[in-house]
Amino acid sequence: MADMASRPQFTGSRVTRLEDARLLSGQGRYLDDVDFPGMLEVAFVRSNRAAAKIVSIDIEAAKQLPGVKAVWTNDNCPLEITNAGFKTTQYALAKNEVRYVGEPVVAIAAENRYVAEDAADLVRIRYEELEPVLDVRIAPLESTRQVHEGRSNMFFHRDRKTDGFDDAFNAAPHRLKDTFTFHRQTGAAMENRGFAALTDPFTGRLTCYCGHQSPHELRSELCEMLGMEENMVRVVVPEVGGAFGIKAAMYPEYLVVSWMALKLRRPVKWISDRQESFLSDVHARDGVHDVEVAFDDDGKIIALYDHMMADQGAYAAVPFPGSIGETVTAANVLTGPYKIPHQATVIDCSFSNKMPLGAYRGVWGPIASFIQEGVVDRVARHLGKDPAEVRRVNMIQEEDFPYKNPSRMLYDKGSYLQSMEDALRLIGYEDFRAKQAEYRKQGRYLGVGISVFVEPTASASSEAGSVGYEAATLRIEPTGTVTAALGLGPSGQGHETTMAQLIADQLGVDIKDVVVLHGDTDSAPFGGGTGGSRSGTIGGGAAITAGKEMREKLIKLAAHVLEAGEEDIELRDGKAFVAGVPARALTVKELAQIAYTHVAKLPEGMKPGLEIVTRYQPPFKVSFSNGTHIAVVEVHPDTGHIETLDYAVVNDCGNLINPTIVEGQIHGGVAQGIGEAFLEELKYDENGQLVTTSMQDYLLPASVEVPRMKIEHIETPSASEGGFKGMGEGSLIAAPAALAAAVSDALEPFGVMVNSMPVTPAQVIEWVSEGNPAVGAD
């Protein structure tokens, strides 16, 4: 049997995204396009207190407003979101107490959103205010008020160190310490969150529409919390206008809208506005890290210590408390691509009176990268060495693979040093260093920052859930075209194209003859969804596996009908033919017609039809992709303005399915990295009020702030089917660290070493005028 997959036509090619014609011409169907006759719309009355007892709720005036169909409180919507792992329960509508600004208290269903909003203004809630808990260092103290009465604010603690850490740390010739601060962010997707639901009047079956990353995970959660069987709930995910992790969570609004649809027997929809998004989408990156590093005279790092403190907000989000992901996983790969023998971490995650933390693209990654790259740059500056040279001294080398890091994570083979050397060449590192001194004589402060990243991808557990496999259904229709359905939950990644590329190559058909479906629990097999950079590796593995199984059946059928050996049958150009005798051929359409309608021609024992359902589980727990980002920036000390002048990326995500789509992911990740490094911050005031609730306050990078990028690829295959590694998050993992390092390098004459993100103009001016003495030496 000829192996067509060994001569792929589409895999690895720059195939134009199949979904773009639909999306770019306005033909995409997003959640707000979901509309049914008689549909009600919902508005929520949210807490405007960070911490308070609810004294009373007066809804009578709202109920009397014409057009209002229902006004509900916890009394008639007693639903809960419970995270059993961390033993927290959030009521879908607050009961007795509110714990963050934006927490839903009352839900109003009306003939349209305008009426619902007007009714919301008529609700009167009396509160008895409590002292809000807002500081991650103060929250765990016994003297601090408990966010959940009777329970410590510190809900997770872990203390680990490698054997011999203390001796190695204390014996080192040099030690430095610094505090790294990460301010709050959110995913800020272009499409706001929303939810729609309706019931079948005859069966009572509930259909839910939601822009969610894991349709089956959402269905399971809804069923558990609503008390329904899974065959009575269907989840449909329309087009998703950006997710970035925030749309992997379970939210109170989803329960309330579902409950309303069930109880009112009317279609119900809620779409958040931008202010609601900032208040109620899960947040990310709220943490403080006290870091110490020990090293020798050559810059070889001996030991690394990190006390990680993360602010979870009021509740442990379901299914993924962000503070856990941003500390535990960060601790697991804190040493990144560097061979640091000793590591100690202390993790403290605490409750506060803020919006809960969930997942945001990269989760732990930007944190670990900022610290590990910041540590290397501090060592280099302390010793007067070039930052690239200190990286070479510490880098995991070719002969070290498979490499087990201090947290006992086993890295599969990567290209860490090669990616850095290639990126240095792309950016013209040596030439830049030669010019940098001249720039400074001219009063210009340019800097270069290096970020060598390693990304654990395609793990069994991620923000998308804990399904360690992915599923694919593959069907060749009687006309010879191909329909595939996967359990993934894409939100713009191009899965319709990449999965079609893999399947088309296995079946020897044109990619235009392959349609990939997703996002409907009634048609897609149970799968893990999208998150944790798993789709290409695990989903791609499922697509290939299904394609292989179908190819075997086609070849067996063709060999029987053509009276040839299976080893002589090739699949190409939509045909099965005898190798070397192209005239002896059957089209895939002809084979399909035999399989479905002329079943007497089937080989003995072959079942009619051409349908495959398969699941793929990778042979490893995690696959590590890697790469290097290098940024060149110019900092204007008088205004604090930072320009990104040049940017180079060398990426290694194993074998490439579609280089254009990979580069699109890189472009987007770097753009978000610029936002994280320089712009985006959710700010709470001293009363726990979120004061950044519009795009005027929460800044995102504009196109003019995103530089053209020089991108090259290295392909170090993984052991997965196809040799793929995940790459969806790597660029946001690496970019903020590279940009921050570039600012530190630019402001080296002022002694500045960046230790918090985002770096704001005001901060730059303060550092330049007052110095930044944060780095402590022994």
Side-chain angles (χ1 to χ4, degrees):
M1 184 190 333
D3 184 1
M4 295 301 293
S6 65
R7 299 194 299 277
Q9 180 183 358
F10 300 105
T11 304
S13 300
R14 293 182 180 274
V15 175
T16 300
R17 286 168 38 119
L18 302 174
E19 50 270 78
D20 281 356
R22 179 180 76 247
L23 298 176
L24 297 177
S25 62
Q27 301 304 307
R29 187 185 188 221
Y30 293 87
L31 185 62
D32 202 26
D33 297 318
V34 174
D35 194 16
F36 293 96
M39 179 168 262
L40 302 176
E41 294 194 64
V42 177
F44 287 91
V45 180
R46 299 177 182 278
S47 170
N48 56 12
R49 305 290 200 280
K53 298 287 186 184
I54 298 174
V55 177
S56 64
I57 303 175
D58 183 354
I59 60 174
E60 290 307 313
K63 289 169 66 176
Q64 301 307 315
L65 190 70
V68 170
K69 301 301 179 185
V71 182
W72 284 2
T73 67
N74 182 271
D75 291 340
N76 41 18
C77 186
L79 300 173
E80 303 173 353
I81 297 178
T82 298
N83 188 319
F86 297 97
K87 299 177 182 176
T88 65
T89 294
Q90 177 179 7
Y91 295 103
L93 295 174
K95 179 180 181 181
N96 299 331
E97 184 173 342
V98 292
R99 294 185 172 87
Y100 64 92
V101 171
E103 185 168 2
V105 182
V106 178
I108 298 169
E111 294 292 352
N112 59 59
R113 180 65 181 255
Y114 301 103
V115 174
E117 293 279 4
D118 287 345
D121 289 339
L122 300 175
V123 173
R124 296 290 177 264
I125 305 174
R126 288 182 58 218
Y127 293 106
E128 178 185 324
E129 294 201 41
L130 303 170
E131 182 182 3
V133 178
L134 301 169
D135 190 313
V136 72
R137 288 189 185 274
I138 294 174
L141 302 178
E142 289 188 8
S143 58
T144 303
R145 189 185 65 81
Q146 294 172 332
V147 174
H148 298 273
E149 191 173 345
R151 179 177 183 181
S152 169
N153 288 334
M154 186 189 295
F155 74 97
F156 182 85
H157 172 82
R158 196 181 83 176
D159 189 341
R160 288 183 177 175
K161 66 174 69 174
T162 54
D163 291 341
F165 174 89
D166 291 333
D167 290 342
F169 188 89
N170 293 326
H174 305 280
R175 290 179 290 277
L176 292 171
K177 61 183 177 181
D178 204 347
T179 295
F180 294 76
T181 303
F182 302 84
H183 294 290
R184 280 205 167 214
Q185 285 187 254
T186 188
M190 185 179 294
E191 181 199 26
N192 294 345
R193 278 193 307 114
F195 196 90
L198 72 160
T199 56
D200 185 305
F202 301 104
T203 66
R205 199 163 183 254
L206 179 69
T207 298
C208 302
Y209 294 83
C210 182
H212 199 276
Q213 294 172 228
S214 182
H216 291 91
E217 175 79 18
L218 176 60
R219 185 184 67 173
S220 297
E221 292 166 352
L222 286 170
C223 290
E224 179 183 345
M225 296 171 192
L226 294 170
M228 298 181 70
E229 296 296 331
E230 298 217 2
N231 61 1
M232 292 298 290
V233 177
R234 174 191 181 195
V235 169
V236 180
V237 177
E239 309 282 7
V240 181
F244 310 120
I246 65 171
K247 292 180 181 174
M250 183 67 191
Y251 290 92
E253 297 90 351
Y254 300 170
L255 282 181
V256 174
V257 172
S258 298
W259 194 246
M260 283 185 160
L262 288 166
K263 298 300 179 184
L264 299 177
R265 293 284 178 176
R266 294 271 298 265
V268 181
K269 181 168 72 175
W270 164 75
I271 302 290
S272 66
D273 60 28
R274 183 57 66 182
Q275 184 182 49
E276 280 187 297
S277 289
F278 283 118
L279 288 170
S280 65
D281 293 352
V282 289
H283 293 176
R285 312 274 201 276
D286 193 351
V288 176
H289 294 238
D290 290 334
V291 176
E292 298 184 49
V293 58
F295 53 99
D296 67 15
D297 294 338
D298 297 324
K300 180 69 178 172
I301 298 174
I302 298 167
L304 182 62
Y305 166 84
D306 187 351
H307 181 191
M308 305 174 164
M309 291 160 277
D311 182 339
Q312 173 56 41
Y315 303 98
V318 173
F320 189 84
S323 63
I324 300 298
E326 294 185 357
T327 53
V328 173
T329 310
N332 287 341
V333 286
L334 186 64
T335 54
Y338 304 115
K339 197 161 57 174
I340 300 172
H342 293 286
Q343 174 184 304
T345 54
V346 178
I347 298 174
D348 292 324
C349 298
S350 303
F351 292 123
S352 73
N353 290 113
K354 301 178 187 174
M355 176 66 203
L357 247 58
Y360 172 47
R361 191 177 184 182
V363 190
W364 59 273
I367 295 166
S369 287
F370 185 35
I371 291 169
Q372 73 209 16
E373 298 303 315
V375 162
V376 172
D377 286 338
R378 281 158 175 76
V379 170
R381 185 175 293 184
H382 184 81
L383 296 175
K385 293 180 176 292
D386 188 288
E389 188 54 36
V390 174
R391 284 173 170 81
R392 292 187 184 100
V393 167
N394 288 284
M395 196 80 73
I396 298 167
Q397 303 293 319
E398 178 85 9
E399 60 272 20
D400 295 322
F401 292 109
Y403 173 77
K404 189 173 288 185
N405 76 3
S407 296
R408 307 195 68 74
M409 296 287 285
L410 187 65
Y411 292 7
D412 52 349
K413 189 175 181 180
S415 56
Y416 305 140
L417 185 58
Q418 183 187 346
S419 73
M420 188 184 79
E421 299 296 352
D422 288 355
L424 290 171
R425 169 181 51 77
L426 271 182
I427 207 76
Y429 186 76
E430 297 300 329
D431 185 51
F432 174 83
R433 284 297 184 201
K435 293 178 180 175
Q436 188 179 35
E438 288 301 315
Y439 291 139
R440 286 176 179 172
K441 290 178 183 175
Q442 299 166 14
R444 297 182 63 191
Y445 295 92
L446 277 70
V448 60
I450 304 168
S451 177
V452 187
F453 75 95
V454 55
E455 179 193 1
T457 70
S459 62
S461 180
S462 73
E463 67 268 29
S466 300
V467 178
Y469 61 83
E470 195 45 77
T473 299
L474 190 60
R475 181 174 66 247
I476 296 181
E477 309 289 355
T479 57
T481 55
V482 181
T483 303
L486 291 98
L488 302 174
S491 52
Q493 296 93 336
H495 291 175
E496 289 178 40
T497 305
T498 50
M499 298 300 120
Q501 287 178 256
L502 300 173
I503 292 167
D505 275 337
Q506 290 299 325
L507 302 182
V509 301
D510 193 281
I511 190 172
K512 294 178 181 175
D513 290 332
V514 181
V515 170
V516 176
L517 305 176
H518 51 76
D520 188 335
T521 55
D522 271 9
S523 60
F526 188 94
T530 295
S533 299
R534 70 187 298 277
S535 297
T537 307
I538 307 181
I544 291 176
T545 302
K548 282 184 174 180
E549 290 184 24
M550 182 66 80
R551 182 161 59 94
E552 288 180 10
K553 188 167 185 178
L554 287 176
I555 287 175
K556 189 177 183 68
L557 175 57
H560 175 73
V561 176
L562 295 172
E563 298 180 346
E566 293 180 24
E567 67 277 9
D568 294 326
I569 298 296
E570 291 188 7
L571 294 178
R572 192 169 63 222
D573 300 330
K575 298 178 182 177
F577 60 93
V578 180
V581 192
R584 292 182 63 194
L586 291 165
T587 64
V588 172
K589 178 179 179 179
E590 290 170 327
L591 290 170
Q593 289 173 342
I594 292 171
Y596 284 107
T597 59
H598 305 301
V599 295
K601 295 183 179 180
L602 293 175
E604 185 177 352
M606 179 178 284
K607 294 181 179 178
L610 293 173
E611 293 180 313
I612 299 289
V613 180
T614 191
R615 284 176 167 76
Y616 172 72
Q617 185 169 13
F620 44 75
K621 293 182 179 178
V622 181
S623 179
F624 289 85
S625 60
N626 70 276
T628 297
H629 287 221
I630 300 182
V632 174
V633 305
E634 180 168 9
V635 183
H636 300 271
D638 51 343
T639 64
H641 181 60
I642 302 169
E643 293 179 78
T644 307
L645 303 180
D646 201 1
Y647 206 95
V649 178
V650 175
N651 195 74
D652 187 348
C653 58
N655 292 339
L656 296 169
I657 302 175
N658 186 324
T660 301
I661 287 179
V662 169
E663 288 162 14
Q665 291 271 20
I666 292 172
H667 292 157
V670 172
Q672 286 185 303
I674 291 170
E676 180 154 350
F678 300 145
L679 298 168
E680 298 178 50
E681 182 179 358
L682 292 167
K683 297 180 181 177
Y684 283 87
D685 69 11
E686 66 277 11
N687 297 313
Q689 296 289 335
L690 185 66
V691 297
T692 48
T693 56
S694 77
M695 290 295 188
Q696 288 181 311
D697 306 307
Y698 187 87
L699 302 179
L700 296 173
S703 60
V704 295
E705 292 165 307
V706 181
R708 289 188 178 277
M709 299 166 209
K710 304 163 183 170
I711 300 174
E712 289 186 358
H713 303 282
I714 299 172
E715 297 184 61
T716 305
S718 73
S720 72
E721 187 72 69
F724 314 131
K725 298 177 180 178
M727 60 76 51
E729 299 169 284
S731 290
L732 183 51
I733 288 171
L739 293 157
V743 173
S744 294
D745 187 59
L747 298 180
E748 188 272 340
F750 301 96
V752 171
M753 189 63 85
V754 172
N755 59 6
S756 68
M757 286 196 283
V759 181
T760 64
Q763 208 168 26
V764 169
I765 292 171
E766 180 182 341
W767 284 341
V768 168
S769 60
E770 300 178 8
N772 178 28
V775 181
D778 56 311

